[in-house]
Amino acid sequence: MNLSIIGAGYVGLVTACCFAELGHKVKCIEKDSEKVKMLKKGSIPIYEPGLEEILKKNIGKNLFFTTSIADGVKESPVIFICVGTPQDRRGSADLFQVEEVAREIARNINGYKLIVEKSTVPLDSHIWINKTIQRFAKKGVTFDVASNPEFLKEGSAIEDFMKPDRIVIGVSSERAKKILLDLYSNFKCKKIVTNPQTSKLIKYSANIFLATKISFINNIADISEKVGADVNVVADAIGVDERIGRAFLNAGVGYGGSCLPKDVKAFIKIAESAGIDFKILKEIDRYNDERPLMIVKKVKEALWILKDKEIAIFGLSFKPNTDDIREAASLKIIPQLLAENARIRLYDPVAELQFRKIFPESEAVRYFKTPYEAVEGAHLLLILTEWEDFKKIDINKIAGLMVIPIVVDGRNIFPPAKMKKTGFEYYSIGRV
Ligand code: UDX
């Protein structure tokens, strides 16, 4: 099929590259001309394993980049909207980019079009896109607006796209249903065909449920610490029950990233506008917002006075295998440590560049190329992301390089007994 993907952010870029890899002719439209220049040269502005290879393989063959929505709309019967839906001041999804795109599509419609929402958008946005296109397009144009939410995770986005657990299609016409089922005909997973409202509610429900699991297990971790229990053993044991499942029961520094925090806040507003006070979700959100403070408290309990202490931090991204630092715990924890006049020594395998844009190198904030350099002369090591490399680190060497071997492990990556045996004062999450 001839497809247009509007927006070359995380979702848009992965969608464009993967559809091209599957043999479709894809035009990816991005208004940032610098980004388009970069993509045309075959390099990607984000760190996502395997994505650059697919881009390089398909560029100029099945995959084309442009800044012009007009080109894409005229050539493609199917148009995916993948633009950002950032959080506005009240916590709702801000849809100004979606509206802008809808107007631009309307001005260029030249035959039947299927417009598909892939970004996470409120439950009634398809109605507004429909209205906007009717208002700005020539009379008599035919089109459908459908929803096809994306469930990809950063760090494993290609695998998630190519081998999804399910494909959700929200349509209001048989024509739209047929096009989308044809597009995904080679995918063997379960396909759910429903109306657009339900389709979008599925996407939000998935994300807020995942957030709920994380805040739930973090609460259990707090209790575990107080009573001398082990949250990991609890998670393993309850996770065996198929009704519960082990995934997303890793206690830690709280959920971050571009989706879960934003979607939880947006859904509270969606519920509110439907006249429903989603109290559990409000509590999940509040608890997660406070989670970084709890980590700072642990650091203070371990060190007492932070002034002039050298604190090494491993992991700046919101999770491993990505350089994305959006809503990362590191962004909230580091300012608190700096406010207490601690000196920070940072190491992350890929997120350093992104982090430097917000925290430039200074006397109090320094960056290191290896974890061993970062801990040299440190009074405490704080782990904020569970990169695989950190799990394989030589802990004897780390202990030898530190002034005092204290570790606050925000991701439970080390076995407590082994750490204590090596001579560490070791604090983790919900374990004794
Ligand atoms: C999420 C959803 O998983 C995905 O389906 C959706 O399409 C987009 O949002 P992503 O933001 O890439 O994906 O990250 P995810 O792997 O879900 O992790 C989110 C946050 O939760 C991270 O900060 C992670 O560290 C944290 N997390 C995850 C935990 O703290 N504990 C867990 O057990 C799992």
Side-chain angles (χ1 to χ4, degrees):
M1 280 187 200
N2 261 333
L3 307 173
S4 271
I5 314 288
I6 305 181
Y10 226 104
V11 171
L13 197 54
V14 172
T15 305
C17 289
C18 289
F19 274 139
E21 177 74 4
L22 291 171
H24 300 286
K25 263 225 149 24
V26 178
K27 191 150 253 184
C28 185
I29 303 148
E30 165 60 51
K31 65 179 175 186
D32 179 345
S33 54
E34 285 308 308
K35 205 180 207 180
V36 168
K37 254 191 230 160
M38 186 179 179
L39 290 163
K40 278 183 172 169
K41 284 188 205 141
S43 48
I44 56 168
I46 48 174
Y47 174 88
E48 181 62 40
L51 191 60
E52 199 160 277
E53 287 76 2
I54 298 187
L55 171 75
K56 285 200 165 97
K57 194 173 143 202
N58 288 285
I59 199 151
K61 294 181 195 122
N62 281 346
L63 181 58
F64 303 88
F65 290 94
T66 172
T67 51
S68 160
I69 290 191
D71 282 359
V73 172
K74 281 178 187 146
E75 284 168 25
S76 316
V78 184
I79 302 156
F80 284 89
I81 301 183
C82 300
V83 295
T85 52
Q87 203 172 291
D88 71 11
R89 264 195 243 146
R90 295 176 320 119
S92 303
D94 192 335
L95 298 184
F96 73 97
Q97 293 186 63
V98 174
E99 198 251 5
E100 205 178 312
V101 164
R103 273 188 282 135
E104 201 58 26
I105 292 174
R107 288 197 193 98
N108 292 287
I109 279 197
N110 58 342
Y112 174 82
K113 303 287 169 192
L114 174 59
I115 296 127
V116 189
E117 299 179 281
K118 229 183 200 332
S119 318
T120 305
V121 276
L123 311 183
D124 63 350
S125 54
H126 59 288
I127 299 169
W128 281 104
I129 293 175
N130 204 307
K131 237 183 224 176
T132 308
I133 296 179
Q134 300 273 13
R135 281 175 184 166
F136 288 90
K138 280 187 270 163
K139 292 282 160 271
V141 292
T142 52
F143 68 94
D144 277 304
V145 182
S147 157
N148 169 220
E150 188 47 68
F151 294 92
L152 56 84
K153 302 184 284 301
E154 295 185 18
S156 59
I158 293 163
E159 171 90 4
D160 292 341
F161 187 96
M162 295 296 194
K163 291 188 194 134
D165 295 331
R166 72 312 211 179
I167 288 167
V168 177
I169 290 170
V171 284
S172 325
S173 80
E174 278 302 314
R175 188 173 187 177
K177 174 178 165 183
K178 186 175 176 320
I179 294 172
L180 286 173
L181 284 177
D182 276 356
L183 179 64
Y184 288 113
S185 59
N186 288 333
F187 286 70
K188 298 288 168 248
C189 63
K190 191 174 171 65
K191 288 166 197 154
I192 297 113
V193 181
T194 180
N195 64 25
Q197 292 89 318
T198 313
S199 165
K200 288 182 270 186
L201 188 54
I202 292 169
K203 170 70 194 186
Y204 271 114
S205 302
N207 277 359
I208 66 177
F209 190 71
L210 294 173
T212 305
K213 280 187 101 173
I214 298 167
S215 278
F216 169 84
I217 204 67
N218 283 336
N219 266 286
I220 299 292
D222 294 344
I223 296 166
S224 300
E225 281 172 24
K226 297 278 181 239
V227 301
D230 187 324
V231 71
N232 274 7
V233 181
V234 175
D236 288 346
I238 62 172
V240 174
D241 187 332
E242 271 183 15
R243 294 170 303 171
I244 297 172
R246 177 63 178 82
F248 277 70
L249 289 180
N250 292 323
V253 299
Y255 56 79
S258 63
C259 293
L260 299 194
K262 176 170 77 97
D263 290 353
V264 166
K265 288 184 199 302
F267 202 76
I268 291 169
K269 294 288 168 196
I270 289 173
E272 252 170 45
S273 51
I276 287 152
D277 185 8
F278 202 156
K279 286 198 179 116
I280 309 172
L281 198 57
K282 283 182 176 167
E283 181 52 24
I284 283 155
D285 181 46
R286 185 202 63 76
Y287 179 81
N288 194 67
D289 280 349
E290 286 182 3
R291 196 80 188 144
L293 292 180
M294 192 284 281
I295 302 292
V296 173
K297 198 167 149 238
K298 266 186 191 291
V299 171
K300 284 169 87 171
E301 275 165 13
L303 275 183
W304 187 28
I305 304 295
L306 302 191
K307 187 173 182 314
D308 294 336
K309 293 283 178 359
E310 299 277 341
I311 299 180
I313 297 183
F314 287 2
L316 302 172
S317 54
F318 81 96
K319 68 171 191 179
N321 298 322
T322 177
D323 66 346
D324 197 339
I325 57 168
R326 283 176 288 177
E327 297 291 325
S330 54
L331 288 177
K332 293 166 197 157
I333 290 169
I334 290 168
Q336 303 270 345
L337 301 177
L338 290 173
E340 304 254 353
N341 294 315
R343 295 148 66 92
I344 311 295
R345 307 170 66 84
L346 303 172
Y347 173 72
D348 187 284
V350 299
E352 179 185 328
L353 213 63
Q354 299 301 334
F355 217 74
R356 276 179 183 269
K357 292 178 192 162
I358 298 169
F359 290 96
E361 184 132 18
S362 67
E363 216 183 303
V365 179
R366 276 161 303 154
Y367 291 86
F368 296 89
K369 292 289 163 224
T370 69
Y372 301 107
E373 287 168 88
V375 295
E376 219 175 317
H379 299 93
L380 182 139
L381 165 63
L382 174 60
I383 292 163
L384 295 181
T385 316
E386 68 280 30
W387 282 90
E388 274 309 306
D389 285 358
F390 301 163
K391 297 178 188 166
K392 295 180 209 139
I393 217 148
D394 180 345
I395 53 168
N396 282 303
K397 190 168 168 187
I398 296 280
L401 288 165
M402 295 178 74
V403 175
I404 337 165
I406 305 178
V407 171
V408 173
D409 181 354
R411 296 289 190 170
N412 286 350
I413 64 170
F414 297 121
K418 188 175 166 196
M419 293 303 278
K420 281 170 195 159
K421 211 169 142 206
T422 315
F424 280 99
E425 206 178 301
Y426 180 69
Y427 303 85
S428 58
I429 308 290
R431 303 183 304 172
V432 281

PDB file of all heavy atoms in Angstrom, residues 348-362:
ATOM      1  N   ASP A 348      26.058   7.068  32.115  1.00  0.00           N
ATOM      2  CA  ASP A 348      24.987   6.336  31.425  1.00  0.00           C
ATOM      3  C   ASP A 348      25.552   5.889  30.081  1.00  0.00           C
ATOM      4  O   ASP A 348      26.239   6.668  29.411  1.00  0.00           O
ATOM      5  CB  ASP A 348      23.757   7.236  31.200  1.00  0.00           C
ATOM      6  CG  ASP A 348      22.584   6.445  30.642  1.00  0.00           C
ATOM      7  OD1 ASP A 348      22.596   6.108  29.438  1.00  0.00           O
ATOM      8  OD2 ASP A 348      21.667   6.134  31.417  1.00  0.00           O
ATOM      9  N   PRO A 349      25.280   4.641  29.652  1.00  0.00           N
ATOM     10  CA  PRO A 349      25.858   4.164  28.389  1.00  0.00           C
ATOM     11  C   PRO A 349      25.449   4.981  27.161  1.00  0.00           C
ATOM     12  O   PRO A 349      26.215   5.114  26.227  1.00  0.00           O
ATOM     13  CB  PRO A 349      25.338   2.728  28.265  1.00  0.00           C
ATOM     14  CG  PRO A 349      24.906   2.337  29.634  1.00  0.00           C
ATOM     15  CD  PRO A 349      24.526   3.596  30.353  1.00  0.00           C
ATOM     16  N   VAL A 350      24.224   5.524  27.125  1.00  0.00           N
ATOM     17  CA  VAL A 350      23.827   6.283  25.921  1.00  0.00           C
ATOM     18  C   VAL A 350      23.127   7.628  26.173  1.00  0.00           C
ATOM     19  O   VAL A 350      23.009   8.432  25.254  1.00  0.00           O
ATOM     20  CB  VAL A 350      22.927   5.453  24.956  1.00  0.00           C
ATOM     21  CG1 VAL A 350      23.625   4.226  24.450  1.00  0.00           C
ATOM     22  CG2 VAL A 350      21.597   5.092  25.587  1.00  0.00           C
ATOM     23  N   ALA A 351      22.647   7.886  27.377  1.00  0.00           N
ATOM     24  CA  ALA A 351      21.791   9.064  27.578  1.00  0.00           C
ATOM     25  C   ALA A 351      22.561  10.342  27.952  1.00  0.00           C
ATOM     26  O   ALA A 351      21.950  11.394  28.132  1.00  0.00           O
ATOM     27  CB  ALA A 351      20.735   8.774  28.638  1.00  0.00           C
ATOM     28  N   GLU A 352      23.897  10.237  28.018  1.00  0.00           N
ATOM     29  CA  GLU A 352      24.687  11.400  28.478  1.00  0.00           C
ATOM     30  C   GLU A 352      24.410  12.662  27.651  1.00  0.00           C
ATOM     31  O   GLU A 352      24.197  13.737  28.198  1.00  0.00           O
ATOM     32  CB  GLU A 352      26.178  11.033  28.428  1.00  0.00           C
ATOM     33  CG  GLU A 352      27.056  12.182  28.855  1.00  0.00           C
ATOM     34  CD  GLU A 352      28.547  11.893  28.702  1.00  0.00           C
ATOM     35  OE1 GLU A 352      28.963  10.725  28.860  1.00  0.00           O
ATOM     36  OE2 GLU A 352      29.283  12.857  28.426  1.00  0.00           O
ATOM     37  N   LEU A 353      24.381  12.482  26.327  1.00  0.00           N
ATOM     38  CA  LEU A 353      24.208  13.627  25.438  1.00  0.00           C
ATOM     39  C   LEU A 353      22.893  14.358  25.720  1.00  0.00           C
ATOM     40  O   LEU A 353      22.852  15.591  25.783  1.00  0.00           O
ATOM     41  CB  LEU A 353      24.231  13.122  23.989  1.00  0.00           C
ATOM     42  CG  LEU A 353      24.834  14.057  22.970  1.00  0.00           C
ATOM     43  CD1 LEU A 353      26.298  14.306  23.278  1.00  0.00           C
ATOM     44  CD2 LEU A 353      24.661  13.459  21.574  1.00  0.00           C
ATOM     45  N   GLN A 354      21.825  13.586  25.862  1.00  0.00           N
ATOM     46  CA  GLN A 354      20.509  14.180  26.153  1.00  0.00           C
ATOM     47  C   GLN A 354      20.549  14.904  27.506  1.00  0.00           C
ATOM     48  O   GLN A 354      20.007  15.984  27.665  1.00  0.00           O
ATOM     49  CB  GLN A 354      19.413  13.096  26.223  1.00  0.00           C
ATOM     50  CG  GLN A 354      19.219  12.312  24.955  1.00  0.00           C
ATOM     51  CD  GLN A 354      18.840  13.204  23.790  1.00  0.00           C
ATOM     52  OE1 GLN A 354      18.269  14.267  23.949  1.00  0.00           O
ATOM     53  NE2 GLN A 354      19.216  12.771  22.592  1.00  0.00           N
ATOM     54  N   PHE A 355      21.209  14.255  28.465  1.00  0.00           N
ATOM     55  CA  PHE A 355      21.221  14.790  29.832  1.00  0.00           C
ATOM     56  C   PHE A 355      22.017  16.083  29.923  1.00  0.00           C
ATOM     57  O   PHE A 355      21.648  16.999  30.654  1.00  0.00           O
ATOM     58  CB  PHE A 355      21.794  13.730  30.780  1.00  0.00           C
ATOM     59  CG  PHE A 355      21.099  13.738  32.112  1.00  0.00           C
ATOM     60  CD1 PHE A 355      19.818  13.234  32.242  1.00  0.00           C
ATOM     61  CD2 PHE A 355      21.708  14.269  33.239  1.00  0.00           C
ATOM     62  CE1 PHE A 355      19.157  13.263  33.463  1.00  0.00           C
ATOM     63  CE2 PHE A 355      21.057  14.295  34.461  1.00  0.00           C
ATOM     64  CZ  PHE A 355      19.784  13.788  34.569  1.00  0.00           C
ATOM     65  N   ARG A 356      23.100  16.141  29.141  1.00  0.00           N
ATOM     66  CA  ARG A 356      23.947  17.345  29.150  1.00  0.00           C
ATOM     67  C   ARG A 356      23.166  18.587  28.718  1.00  0.00           C
ATOM     68  O   ARG A 356      23.495  19.701  29.115  1.00  0.00           O
ATOM     69  CB  ARG A 356      25.140  17.158  28.202  1.00  0.00           C
ATOM     70  CG  ARG A 356      26.308  16.433  28.829  1.00  0.00           C
ATOM     71  CD  ARG A 356      27.404  16.286  27.791  1.00  0.00           C
ATOM     72  NE  ARG A 356      28.531  15.547  28.298  1.00  0.00           N
ATOM     73  CZ  ARG A 356      29.594  16.111  28.905  1.00  0.00           C
ATOM     74  NH1 ARG A 356      29.649  17.408  29.048  1.00  0.00           N
ATOM     75  NH2 ARG A 356      30.584  15.370  29.329  1.00  0.00           N
ATOM     76  N   LYS A 357      22.124  18.382  27.873  1.00  0.00           N
ATOM     77  CA  LYS A 357      21.329  19.534  27.412  1.00  0.00           C
ATOM     78  C   LYS A 357      20.610  20.189  28.595  1.00  0.00           C
ATOM     79  O   LYS A 357      20.333  21.375  28.593  1.00  0.00           O
ATOM     80  CB  LYS A 357      20.298  19.081  26.370  1.00  0.00           C
ATOM     81  CG  LYS A 357      20.920  18.625  25.063  1.00  0.00           C
ATOM     82  CD  LYS A 357      19.850  18.152  24.090  1.00  0.00           C
ATOM     83  CE  LYS A 357      20.490  17.435  22.919  1.00  0.00           C
ATOM     84  NZ  LYS A 357      19.531  16.600  22.181  1.00  0.00           N
ATOM     85  N   ILE A 358      20.280  19.395  29.607  1.00  0.00           N
ATOM     86  CA  ILE A 358      19.553  19.934  30.769  1.00  0.00           C
ATOM     87  C   ILE A 358      20.507  20.234  31.928  1.00  0.00           C
ATOM     88  O   ILE A 358      20.376  21.242  32.611  1.00  0.00           O
ATOM     89  CB  ILE A 358      18.455  18.946  31.206  1.00  0.00           C
ATOM     90  CG1 ILE A 358      17.463  18.807  30.049  1.00  0.00           C
ATOM     91  CG2 ILE A 358      17.714  19.432  32.457  1.00  0.00           C
ATOM     92  CD1 ILE A 358      16.493  17.702  30.202  1.00  0.00           C
ATOM     93  N   PHE A 359      21.473  19.346  32.121  1.00  0.00           N
ATOM     94  CA  PHE A 359      22.469  19.553  33.182  1.00  0.00           C
ATOM     95  C   PHE A 359      23.861  19.644  32.540  1.00  0.00           C
ATOM     96  O   PHE A 359      24.570  18.645  32.439  1.00  0.00           O
ATOM     97  CB  PHE A 359      22.463  18.378  34.174  1.00  0.00           C
ATOM     98  CG  PHE A 359      21.232  18.312  35.026  1.00  0.00           C
ATOM     99  CD1 PHE A 359      20.184  17.491  34.661  1.00  0.00           C
ATOM    100  CD2 PHE A 359      21.114  19.077  36.175  1.00  0.00           C
ATOM    101  CE1 PHE A 359      19.029  17.422  35.438  1.00  0.00           C
ATOM    102  CE2 PHE A 359      19.965  19.022  36.950  1.00  0.00           C
ATOM    103  CZ  PHE A 359      18.927  18.198  36.581  1.00  0.00           C
ATOM    104  N   PRO A 360      24.269  20.853  32.110  1.00  0.00           N
ATOM    105  CA  PRO A 360      25.615  20.958  31.522  1.00  0.00           C
ATOM    106  C   PRO A 360      26.675  20.660  32.587  1.00  0.00           C
ATOM    107  O   PRO A 360      26.402  20.799  33.785  1.00  0.00           O
ATOM    108  CB  PRO A 360      25.696  22.417  31.072  1.00  0.00           C
ATOM    109  CG  PRO A 360      24.361  23.015  31.301  1.00  0.00           C
ATOM    110  CD  PRO A 360      23.564  22.118  32.192  1.00  0.00           C
ATOM    111  N   GLU A 361      27.841  20.250  32.109  1.00  0.00           N
ATOM    112  CA  GLU A 361      28.920  19.933  33.043  1.00  0.00           C
ATOM    113  C   GLU A 361      29.270  21.195  33.864  1.00  0.00           C
ATOM    114  O   GLU A 361      29.277  22.303  33.345  1.00  0.00           O
ATOM    115  CB  GLU A 361      30.149  19.454  32.254  1.00  0.00           C
ATOM    116  CG  GLU A 361      31.268  19.006  33.121  1.00  0.00           C
ATOM    117  CD  GLU A 361      31.841  17.645  32.684  1.00  0.00           C
ATOM    118  OE1 GLU A 361      31.603  17.227  31.551  1.00  0.00           O
ATOM    119  OE2 GLU A 361      32.521  17.027  33.515  1.00  0.00           O
ATOM    120  N   SER A 362      29.479  21.009  35.155  1.00  0.00           N
ATOM    121  CA  SER A 362      29.852  22.133  36.027  1.00  0.00           C
ATOM    122  C   SER A 362      30.709  21.556  37.148  1.00  0.00           C
ATOM    123  O   SER A 362      30.999  20.358  37.162  1.00  0.00           O
ATOM    124  CB  SER A 362      28.590  22.774  36.610  1.00  0.00           C
ATOM    125  OG  SER A 362      27.966  21.852  37.495  1.00  0.00           O
TER     126      SER A 362
END
